[in-house]
Amino acid sequence: MHLTSTLDDGYSDFQWISTVGNPTYATTLGNKVAVTVTSAGNLGFADYPTNAKGKGFRYDGGNSMLF
Amino acid sequence: MLSTAANQIINSARGQANNGNTQDKDFQSEIPFSLKIPGVKADVEVYGVFNDNLAGASKLGLQVKQRSYSHSATADEDFVIVRYTIKNVSTLPVTGLYAGLYFDWDLIDGTGDRTEWNVAGNYGKVWNNSAAFTTKVASALISSTNYSFKPFMNDGTAGGISVYDGFSDLEKWTSLSSGVVTGPIGAGDISHVTGGGPFNIAVGDSIEVAFALAASDDDLKLGQAIANARGKWTGITSVKEVAGEVPGTFALHQNYPNPL
């Protein structure tokens, strides 16, 4: 996303903001258990076997315990 | 995973090709996931909808609303509820349906993990032999009592299923439909399927299948987390939902007769 800011004195600048459109996964972060759910119907990661998209299954801030 | 037979597997678990380094993708997203904070029934809720349109010949005509509920209160901070509302949108009844979640656990690095069915609490538990690693995890069907649990060693040396050479449709059917296999299995590189069934769904009807996923550093707290999740599930389903997540129309009608 390209974000342009213009001040009253005419000064203008821009910055690029990275966003994910129409996300295919989301992670529950409401308590000590964090689990990623995906639009493909699975839990853990949205890109098995790379396992970079998502948090997996974590407890109390620890590492993922899946795969 | 959803299935009515060994040749009718609908899933997004690991596949058989390339020694399991691939994922089956039988589900198609209808509504992308959205987070609701705070939610209606929990502090954090996730909602999305998918169907089985990508399952080819295995397609049954199912639409699945997936929701998750996370509660932040101390008594409920060790579990998440994942809820699947499965609707039969086909023109034929669905009979003998099994639903389950496949987990390949590596609590540390894939060594030393053990799993078994907790008979008293009706949940599957995974822990590690290492005394230094105290976190244990549990999963349980909480929406009904027709439990299924199938543990196995990933190399096939126990449990009769090997996923090192891929996870075949027959193995998935076996893992879903074998009832409760108590174990224990391990120590080693382990997996299990936690599920339930069989379920029947009439045309146009739907069923609720929900699981609790819990973790704790304490055995008693782990079992309590599953029990608390079952209590929450009762509360979640005691409030009848209005059809549809979002109102379809808004209308202002004449107020007649005039009450004044």
Side-chain angles (χ1 to χ4, degrees):
Chain A
M1 179 186 300
H2 183 267
L3 180 66
T4 302
S5 302
T6 304
L7 302 181
D8 289 342
D9 62 3
Y11 174 78
S12 181
D13 203 348
F14 71 92
Q15 60 181 317
W16 289 100
I17 299 175
S18 178
T19 64
V20 178
N22 209 15
T24 57
Y25 61 96
T27 301
T28 67
L29 295 170
N31 57 27
K32 287 186 175 180
V33 179
V35 185
T36 295
V37 296
T38 83
S39 60
N42 63 300
L43 303 175
F45 298 97
D47 60 341
Y48 176 85
T50 303
N51 301 334
K53 295 181 178 179
K55 297 290 187 182
F57 184 108
R58 299 170 186 243
Y59 179 67
D60 204 12
N63 296 324
S64 176
M65 296 179 282
L66 288 174
F67 310 119
Chain B
M1 299 193 293
L2 299 169
S3 180
T4 57
N7 62 352
Q8 201 87 45
I9 302 290
I10 307 164
N11 78 114
S12 57
R14 77 176 43 165
Q16 185 164 26
N18 196 22
N19 290 326
N21 286 313
T22 181
Q23 180 183 1
D24 287 348
K25 296 179 178 178
D26 294 338
F27 296 114
Q28 181 178 46
S29 176
E30 282 189 20
I31 299 177
F33 280 105
S34 60
L35 273 168
K36 185 179 287 186
I37 307 173
V40 176
K41 298 180 177 181
D43 296 299
V44 177
E45 297 180 10
V46 177
Y47 173 76
V49 181
F50 56 86
N51 59 48
D52 65 350
N53 281 352
L54 304 179
S58 294
K59 175 181 175 180
L60 289 172
L62 301 175
Q63 181 197 60
V64 182
K65 292 181 180 177
Q66 178 176 346
R67 284 163 277 209
S68 72
Y69 303 100
S70 296
H71 301 83
S72 58
T74 302
D76 303 317
E77 65 184 1
D78 287 340
F79 67 85
V80 170
I81 292 173
V82 286
R83 173 185 186 181
Y84 302 91
T85 305
I86 306 171
K87 184 177 183 179
N88 179 3
V89 295
S90 77
T91 57
L92 296 172
V94 172
T95 59
L97 179 74
Y98 289 86
L101 300 174
Y102 167 64
F103 296 97
D104 177 359
W105 295 105
D106 286 0
L107 295 192
I108 302 175
D109 58 5
T111 62
D113 289 341
R114 307 190 72 189
T115 182
E116 70 178 3
W117 180 254
N118 183 292
V119 176
N122 289 310
Y123 61 85
K125 173 189 166 185
V126 179
W127 73 103
N128 193 275
N129 270 348
S130 169
F133 189 87
T134 56
T135 302
K136 311 144 192 3
V137 299
S139 55
L141 179 73
I142 60 172
S143 51
S144 59
T145 57
N146 47 352
Y147 311 109
S148 66
F149 181 73
K150 175 64 175 172
F152 51 89
M153 293 282 289
N154 286 358
D155 62 5
T157 55
I161 293 174
S162 169
V163 291
Y164 285 169
D165 59 353
F167 198 9
S168 73
D169 282 359
L170 178 59
E171 290 170 328
K172 289 170 182 172
W173 170 248
T174 299
S175 69
L176 284 167
S177 62
S178 295
V180 172
V181 179
T182 56
I185 292 289
D189 190 11
I190 58 94
S191 289
H192 67 71
V193 171
T194 300
F199 303 103
N200 299 326
I201 317 176
V203 175
D205 206 352
S206 60
I207 61 169
E208 298 283 359
V209 180
F211 299 92
L213 311 177
S216 179
D217 292 322
D218 179 89
D219 271 321
L220 290 177
K221 288 182 178 178
L222 187 69
Q224 191 60 53
I226 294 295
N228 289 355
R230 287 195 164 101
K232 283 291 182 186
W233 173 249
T234 301
I236 287 169
T237 53
S238 66
V239 179
K240 186 174 177 60
E241 290 189 352
V242 176
E245 298 295 317
V246 178
T249 59
F250 295 92
L252 179 64
H253 296 281
Q254 184 180 16
N255 188 4
Y256 177 85
N258 193 327
L260 301 179

